[in-house]
Amino acid sequence: MKIHTTQNLSSPAESRPTNISLPREIRYTKYSDGMYSSHPNIYNDSVSFKGKKEIVNEAIKAGKKKFAERVANSKIWNKMFNSDSFSKLLKITSEQEVLINSGTALIICTLLRPTAIMALPGDKNKKDCAYASAHSVSSGVWGFIVPLIFIRPLATAYNHVIDNAGKYLRESTIKKRWPHVNLDSIKNPDGTIKPMSEWKDYMGNMFIRDIKDVKKVAKPKHISELSEETLKKYFKDIDLSKTKELSPNQWVKNNGEKISIDLQNVFIAVKDTEKKDSVKYYPLKYVSEDILKEVYPDLDIASTKSVKGERLHFDKWRKKDGKNFEFDKNNIFISEWAESKEEGITLITGEKVRLSNGEVKDACYQKNDPNDEPFTPGTLINADMLEAAGINSIVDKLGGWLPDLVVSYPRAAATIAIIPFILKNVFGIEKSKKPEPKPEQNIQETERKVVS
């Protein structure tokens, strides 16, 4: 397996042994300085112990990680996380945060807190416990009624305006909120506003108002680690008996012909020089020319493109001296959801985005490519879009929470005034009064009698 680095390309990569009889899942070996293992914890040159405390801490971290992985990989969690109902619940929660919080408080105040209060031992304070329970129920119900009547309609109105921006917002406001929208695409020839689902962005793709709705792919896996089912899917008529003994460069079909693979499914791995033990994966069909130049310095970049500028299959690539470029199949990684147990990684191609503060980030893409292919980038999320997304998140929070902030003081005052009335007239409960102290005069007379 080869994972490139863009800083030490001159270091020759050590070839991967192919005659090891270990199971394929653990066939890893040492790499040169210019390489990086995708499983760095499996191989190490030395072992050291830095103290019992550190060992315990590492054990705890490992335990937490294993538990998190078991939960993430469980069928129940995956089924719930990928269900439409869960997505709808998240959408409702984001749009009606105040109401959801009030509903949560309602459950606590009407069920959990009264149960805990009445479970306190002793019969002496049962009346006070009943009063406290009734007070909890009253405050919970009242705290839910106010947002339901006053706040929810306002939050719903705000979301309605955003959902129908073309009807309620000026074009300048629309462009400020969504810099990527093509304003010419939002109107019909007669001047009427089109549905938002028919809008286009600056690249001519379908308009997506959630700017950070990025395209993701399954984390690529080296071809030597793929299951037989996946190998058959991507390498037609592959001779599986050869894959366990030979390097990927020597794999053949059942008839002995040289194996080939569609460029669309190929990823390369490049060591991230900014983060330790981190790797970035790039789709070979869409990776930027800058990355190709750094990873393959002998490659003639012009030979990788067609007349239309599309990326050609690596079988047609040439070196700078005009000779055929032999692409090392040991560099191939495959992105396949059936092989991945993780949520996925963001699709990147090596393009960069520079923010107004000077920070440079990997460019991401929205999942709106016109052909809806799994590895094709959609609209590039530029700096203006990223900065607008940050502002939108703050504005949307205010749109949901501002009504609650406005009515919070009147609601608190009304709660103080109305709850005692509810307790007395609905529950028939009043708070126990403390016994009045005896008058000081009576106490002095009693003391005189005792003395006499």
Side-chain angles (χ1 to χ4, degrees):
M1 183 196 311
K2 289 186 179 180
I3 298 181
H4 302 278
T5 175
T6 58
Q7 285 192 345
N8 191 13
L9 294 171
S10 60
S11 299
E14 295 179 21
S15 301
R16 177 190 179 91
T18 57
N19 57 352
I20 301 176
S21 59
L22 293 175
R24 295 176 61 198
E25 289 78 7
I26 58 173
R27 291 191 331 192
Y28 303 100
T29 185
K30 182 180 178 181
Y31 297 88
S32 66
D33 293 338
M35 309 299 292
Y36 177 79
S37 171
S38 61
H39 298 268
N41 295 327
I42 294 179
Y43 182 89
N44 204 331
D45 287 321
S46 61
V47 178
S48 64
F49 298 92
K50 298 181 180 180
K52 295 180 179 179
K53 184 177 180 180
E54 184 172 341
I55 294 174
V56 172
N57 290 338
E58 290 300 322
I60 293 173
K61 291 180 182 179
K64 289 180 179 179
K65 182 179 180 181
K66 289 293 183 183
F67 177 76
E69 289 177 352
R70 286 198 298 270
V71 173
N73 294 333
S74 64
K75 292 181 179 180
I76 297 176
W77 172 257
N78 287 327
K79 184 177 180 180
M80 179 189 72
F81 189 79
N82 292 294
S83 66
D84 293 335
S85 301
F86 186 70
S87 299
K88 292 178 181 178
L89 177 62
L90 292 179
K91 186 176 185 296
I92 294 173
T93 302
S94 64
E95 293 178 351
Q96 299 288 349
E97 289 187 50
V98 175
L99 192 63
I100 294 298
N101 289 338
S102 300
T104 304
L106 177 67
I107 296 173
I108 295 174
C109 292
T110 58
L111 295 176
L112 302 181
R113 186 183 294 170
T115 302
I117 292 173
M118 296 306 296
L120 294 174
D123 298 328
K124 184 178 180 180
N125 298 320
K126 282 299 181 184
K127 186 176 181 180
D128 290 340
C129 289
Y131 178 88
S133 299
H135 188 285
S136 176
V137 172
S138 301
S139 61
V141 173
W142 180 252
F144 183 76
I145 289 175
V146 172
L148 183 65
I149 296 176
F150 298 104
I151 299 175
R152 182 177 179 274
L154 295 175
T156 302
Y158 176 83
N159 293 325
H160 178 74
V161 170
I162 299 301
D163 292 339
N164 299 273
K167 181 179 179 181
Y168 296 102
L169 301 180
R170 296 190 298 268
E171 290 188 4
S172 58
T173 305
I174 293 175
K175 190 66 176 178
K176 186 176 180 180
R177 181 178 178 88
W178 297 299
H180 58 301
V181 68
N182 181 359
L183 291 177
D184 294 335
S185 70
I186 71 175
K187 291 183 179 180
N188 293 307
D190 59 358
T192 57
I193 300 297
K194 295 181 181 178
M196 194 175 289
S197 59
E198 298 180 13
W199 293 7
K200 301 294 182 181
D201 62 23
Y202 75 96
M203 291 186 65
N205 296 330
M206 178 182 67
F207 169 76
I208 296 182
R209 72 181 195 182
D210 183 1
I211 293 175
K212 291 188 176 182
D213 188 8
V214 300
K215 187 155 193 173
K216 291 188 174 183
V217 296
K219 186 176 181 179
K221 202 171 183 179
H222 191 260
I223 54 176
S224 66
E225 302 168 6
L226 299 175
S227 64
E228 292 185 355
E229 291 76 12
T230 303
L231 287 174
K232 290 178 182 178
K233 177 180 178 180
Y234 290 104
F235 299 90
K236 189 177 181 180
D237 299 327
I238 187 172
D239 185 354
L240 294 174
S241 63
K242 304 295 184 182
T243 61
K244 299 179 181 179
E245 303 173 357
L246 303 176
S247 87
N249 293 308
Q250 298 171 305
W251 288 359
V252 294
K253 298 181 180 179
N254 289 320
N255 59 6
E257 293 181 2
K258 183 180 178 181
I259 202 72
S260 61
I261 184 174
D262 187 356
L263 184 65
Q264 178 74 25
N265 307 313
V266 176
F267 280 70
I268 58 173
V270 178
K271 184 176 179 180
D272 186 355
T273 55
E274 298 177 357
K275 296 181 180 179
K276 183 180 179 181
D277 299 339
S278 180
V279 174
K280 293 182 178 180
Y281 298 92
Y282 301 98
L284 197 57
K285 186 173 182 179
Y286 302 103
V287 64
S288 68
E289 293 184 358
D290 291 337
I291 296 294
L292 284 180
K293 290 177 182 178
E294 294 183 26
V295 173
Y296 306 112
D298 296 332
L299 177 64
D300 179 10
I301 297 298
S303 68
T304 67
K305 298 180 294 183
S306 67
V307 177
K308 298 180 179 180
E310 298 176 344
R311 182 65 45 77
L312 296 173
H313 195 278
F314 50 74
D315 287 343
K316 299 180 180 180
W317 293 2
R318 296 287 184 272
K319 292 183 179 181
K320 292 180 179 178
D321 58 7
K323 297 181 180 179
N324 291 337
F325 180 84
E326 297 293 335
F327 187 85
D328 189 355
K329 290 188 175 67
N330 199 42
N331 294 346
I332 295 177
F333 290 74
I334 299 294
S335 173
E336 171 60 46
W337 287 109
E339 295 281 346
S340 177
K341 295 182 180 180
E342 302 180 25
E343 180 183 351
I345 60 173
T346 302
L347 180 67
I348 57 175
T349 62
E351 298 292 339
K352 298 292 183 179
V353 172
R354 182 179 294 275
L355 303 180
S356 59
N357 60 2
E359 184 181 1
V360 178
K361 292 186 174 183
D362 282 308
C364 303
Y365 301 85
Q366 292 184 319
K367 51 182 180 182
N368 62 343
D369 58 281
N371 299 322
D372 195 26
E373 294 180 352
F375 310 118
T376 306
T379 297
L380 186 144
I381 303 175
N382 57 35
D384 291 339
M385 294 169 65
L386 283 176
E387 293 176 355
I391 296 174
N392 293 344
S393 63
I394 297 173
V395 173
D396 291 342
K397 286 288 183 183
L398 290 175
W401 283 95
L402 188 59
D404 183 55
L405 297 176
V406 172
V407 303
S408 59
Y409 179 78
R411 179 177 62 179
T415 301
I416 296 173
I418 201 171
I419 284 183
F421 176 82
I422 295 174
L423 292 174
K424 182 177 180 180
N425 295 278
V426 176
F427 293 95
I429 298 176
E430 291 186 85
K431 189 174 183 180
S432 300
K433 296 181 179 180
K434 293 182 179 181
E436 296 182 0
K438 294 181 180 181
E440 184 178 351
Q441 182 179 359
N442 294 339
I443 295 175
Q444 292 176 354
E445 291 178 356
T446 303
E447 290 178 350
R448 290 195 196 100
K449 291 180 181 180
V450 173
V451 172
S452 61

